[in-house]
Amino acid sequence: MAHITGGGLLENLPRSLPKGVVAEITGHPALPSVFKWMQQASGLEDDGMLTTFNCGIGMVLIVKADKVDETKELLRKAGEIPCDLGRLVSGEGEQVVMKCSLQ
């Protein structure tokens, strides 16, 4: 689990990952309008946004593949709107790799 606060997704998610594991982000949800405005007004590139703001992602749960559907259903029942951000793979270097852009 990673609480996405100051430092955004790129700085907070690695704290929840062991060495040798990389999070590939393949499906960041659409930016809420306030973050779209902030990106446009500031001129920040995606990396700058993702290391400064949560960009609408407040919490990340790392769930085994066979538990994803059950977990998403529990979150929906609790009034949350879950989304799939990507997957974990073996690797070295950057622990969070954006395979998509912010929209």
Side-chain angles (χ1 to χ4, degrees):
M1 181 183 306
H3 184 206
I4 310 305
T5 58
L9 187 64
L10 300 183
E11 293 182 8
N12 286 286
L13 186 53
R15 296 181 188 139
S16 298
L17 301 173
K19 263 190 159 175
V21 175
V22 175
E24 291 184 340
I25 307 300
T26 57
H28 195 287
L31 286 176
S33 58
V34 67
F35 292 108
K36 288 180 184 178
W37 174 83
M38 289 167 54
Q39 186 172 30
Q40 183 179 25
S42 69
L44 284 173
E45 298 291 330
D46 286 359
D47 281 352
M49 291 292 292
L50 290 163
T51 56
T52 306
F53 306 108
N54 74 14
C55 295
I57 305 290
M59 185 73 65
V60 174
L61 299 178
I62 300 167
V63 180
K64 288 184 177 185
D66 65 341
K67 297 292 184 184
V68 169
D69 291 338
E70 178 183 354
T71 302
K72 288 168 75 174
E73 184 58 30
L74 288 169
L75 289 166
R76 283 187 195 98
K77 286 180 181 178
E80 299 298 331
I81 303 169
C83 67
D84 292 319
L85 287 177
R87 64 189 188 124
L88 300 180
V89 297
S90 295
E92 298 298 326
E94 295 292 324
Q95 281 195 285
V96 180
V97 176
M98 292 299 294
K99 299 268 186 170
C100 62
S101 59
L102 296 177
Q103 308 168 6

